Amino acid sequence: MRAVEIVSNLYQAYADRDIEGALARCAEDVVFRWIADPRHSRHAGTAHGKQEFLARLLALDDDFEYRHFVPVEIVDGGDKVAAQVEIHMTRRATGEEFIMRTANFWTVRDGEIIEMVEYYDTALAASVF
């Protein structure tokens, strides 16, 4: 399976709220980096390994309801995949609805995701926390 298909399948599983299924093609030692100021998001930083990655995603679900998760564009770069994603969310604590756009950069090796780096609107994140 090509890297772009692996990433596309992950997005579909995540959109279906099958978080564990979304991580099925992640290496056990996957590295996931949220590039943001930790003063504005407790989710910023790096998760090392599939279990820590899963814990971070589940923590996000505690804070936010994901109404729609839409990959707007996915760029196939061989073992590197880039994507722009639009996430329609509701902050559970306040009921505030908003749309977050993210830029995701994936690295796939031997059929497994080994790294993902995500950039997002930190000013928007700070305003909803």
Side-chain angles (χ1 to χ4, degrees), residues 3-39:
V4 69
E5 295 168 321
I6 291 169
V7 171
S8 293
N9 290 344
L10 179 144
Y11 284 136
Q12 184 58 55
Y14 198 73
D16 293 340
R17 305 316 302 146
D18 177 10
I19 296 173
E20 291 190 29
L23 298 181
R25 297 297 297 257
C26 289
E28 286 301 320
D29 60 348
V30 65
V31 175
F32 188 77
R33 302 179 204 290
W34 278 283
I35 308 302
D37 186 335
R39 294 174 297 173

Side-chain angles (χ1 to χ4, degrees), residues 59-73:
L60 283 165
D61 272 4
D62 288 342
D63 289 341
F64 302 100
E65 174 190 349
Y66 289 77
R67 298 185 325 275
H68 301 287
F69 186 86
V70 182
V72 175
E73 181 176 16

Side-chain angles (χ1 to χ4, degrees), residues 34-41 44 100-101 118-129:
W34 278 283
I35 308 302
D37 186 335
R39 294 174 297 173
H40 301 293
S41 174
M100 176 75 69
R101 284 206 175 220
E118 179 173 278
Y119 295 86
Y120 57 93
D121 183 343
T122 55
L124 176 59
S127 75
V128 297
F129 273 106

Side-chain angles (χ1 to χ4, degrees), residues 6 13-14 26-27 30 44 62 70-71 75 79 81-82 88 91 97 99 104-105 119 121:
I6 291 169
Y14 198 73
C26 289
V30 65
D62 288 342
V70 182
V75 179
D79 65 346
V81 177
H88 298 244
R91 183 167 184 223
E97 295 183 1
I99 298 171
N104 298 175
F105 299 91
Y119 295 86
D121 183 343

